[in-house]
Amino acid sequence: MATTIPGLHHVTAISGPPQENVDFYTGTLGQRLVRKTVNFDAPDTYHLYYGDHAGSPGTILTFFPFVDAGPGRAGAGMASAYAYSVSKGRFDALMADLAARAIDFAGPVERFGQRVITLSDPDGAPVELVETDRAADSVLDGFHSVTLWERAPEATARLLTEVFGYEAAGEEAGADGSRRLRYVAPGDARGNVVDIYLSEKRAIGRPGAGTIHHVAFRARSDAEQAEWQERLAAVGLPTTPVIDRQYFNAIYFREPGGVLFEIATDPPGFTADEPLESLGQALKLPEQHERLRGQIERILPELRVTT
């Protein structure tokens, strides 16, 4: 039986126009567009995946880009931020490079003994970059963490510790009266940190551009995912049936605080239907939408990727 979740598999967010999104994540942040497909439930809209060169679990940030999306706003019951890991040896150089390119950022500030800077993407979403001890071959080494904005932390904390196998790793108070609780999965997998953010300020969340749709955790195999499905049902958190997302299988459920969680399998991965060297170049459609390719390609705007 899988005793712990190793870390994040991916995070999925909502954005405005896709070209601005591509320019920021491939240009400003230097991520690779590893998959260009469509929203399986709304094939007139892209679903874009960014990650490291191989599209490894723990590095993947995905977007549903809606051209006419209204601005969203994070609030209690939503995931409110994702953070990338930057090695200590690269952090100062990264800040200097951002400054040289006139890319604004807030910070650095210290959080749990680590320096953090925050950029805003084209839709105003906070993109946190955290200085870590991880050695890395690239500037951004996949995810460091995700933040959940909760009204009350107890039930979510029990899910993380008693079911997922995370360990409580401290608490910090903010100058504005907020609190941040940290939970860490054993091991050194990318994205093995979850923060719970608590604030007394009134903020009603509103889905839209610049907000996170769901947070996906890793299952290393289909069998492991099935075990998590049984374990969650046993604690009163039944999941959806397994859904084939072409590059992974997925199950979904709402955690006690309201955030949509997914558990996604590592296999088969993004090289299942496209060679590693050409990931993200062709529009890939699920089998059920392939018959509509001509119509879909006429609707979707052409995307330019510069690296």
Side-chain angles (χ1 to χ4, degrees), residues 107-126:
V109 299
E110 187 169 300
R111 181 187 297 167
F112 293 100
Q114 298 170 313
R115 289 189 295 172
V116 182
I117 62 174
T118 304
L119 287 69
S120 292
D121 81 358
D123 297 293

Side-chain angles (χ1 to χ4, degrees), residues 32-35 53-55 270-271 274-281:
R32 186 182 189 188
L33 179 65
V34 296
R35 179 58 72 243
H53 185 74
F270 295 102
T271 56
E274 194 172 19
L276 176 63
E277 59 270 18
S278 59
L279 288 182
Q281 294 181 18

Side-chain angles (χ1 to χ4, degrees), residues 1-288:
M1 171 65 193
T3 57
T4 64
I5 292 284
L8 297 174
H9 183 279
H10 66 270
V11 175
T12 293
I14 300 170
S15 80
Q19 186 61 59
E20 295 177 14
N21 186 264
V22 169
D23 291 345
F24 180 82
Y25 285 96
T26 64
T28 302
L29 291 188
Q31 297 298 282
R32 186 182 189 188
L33 179 65
V34 296
R35 179 58 72 243
K36 182 169 56 175
T37 184
V38 294
N39 184 332
F40 286 12
D41 301 316
D44 58 344
T45 302
Y46 277 118
H47 192 177
L48 305 177
Y49 292 70
Y50 305 98
D52 68 358
H53 185 74
S56 308
T59 73
I60 301 297
L61 178 63
T62 95
F63 283 91
F64 299 129
F66 296 98
V67 174
D68 298 323
R73 179 177 60 216
M78 300 173 69
S80 58
Y82 40 84
Y84 286 102
S85 174
V86 181
S87 66
K88 279 186 176 179
R90 295 177 181 267
F91 196 79
D92 287 323
L94 171 61
M95 288 193 292
D97 175 64
L98 292 170
R101 290 189 285 157
I103 298 169
D104 195 22
F105 59 87
V109 299
E110 187 169 300
R111 181 187 297 167
F112 293 100
Q114 298 170 313
R115 289 189 295 172
V116 182
I117 62 174
T118 304
L119 287 69
S120 292
D121 81 358
D123 297 293
V127 181
E128 298 177 340
L129 309 180
V130 182
E131 182 181 36
T132 71
D133 292 324
R134 290 181 63 95
D137 295 328
S138 57
V139 176
L140 303 189
D141 183 40
F143 285 122
H144 170 269
S145 58
V146 68
T147 297
L148 313 177
W149 189 337
E150 303 281 0
R151 294 181 179 84
E154 294 80 12
T156 301
R158 285 196 299 271
L159 169 65
L160 292 173
T161 57
E162 297 176 11
V163 181
F164 281 7
Y166 281 60
E167 299 171 355
E171 175 179 340
E172 285 193 349
D176 60 354
S178 64
R179 289 191 295 146
R180 184 178 291 268
L181 314 178
R182 174 151 292 183
Y183 298 87
V184 180
D188 61 354
R190 294 180 171 110
N192 68 337
V193 176
V194 174
D195 282 354
I196 293 179
Y197 174 79
L198 304 166
S199 176
E200 296 181 358
K201 69 180 181 182
R202 296 179 61 87
I204 299 174
R206 181 178 63 215
T211 64
I212 295 171
H213 185 270
H214 66 266
V215 176
F217 295 87
R218 285 179 61 191
R220 286 158 285 208
S221 66
D222 290 334
E224 189 172 290
Q225 183 187 64
E227 292 173 344
W228 284 116
Q229 196 170 28
E230 293 177 3
R231 189 166 179 178
L232 287 162
V235 296
L237 293 170
T239 73
T240 65
V242 175
I243 301 173
D244 181 356
R245 294 303 191 194
Q246 199 153 339
Y247 310 107
F248 49 87
N249 288 326
I251 56 175
Y252 301 87
F253 68 100
R254 292 277 177 187
E255 59 88 19
V259 180
L260 182 60
F261 276 8
E262 173 185 349
I263 297 180
T265 58
D266 286 358
F270 295 102
T271 56
D273 62 357
E274 194 172 19
L276 176 63
E277 59 270 18
S278 59
L279 288 182
Q281 294 181 18
L283 176 66
K284 296 296 182 178
L285 299 178
E287 183 178 352
Q288 66 267 31

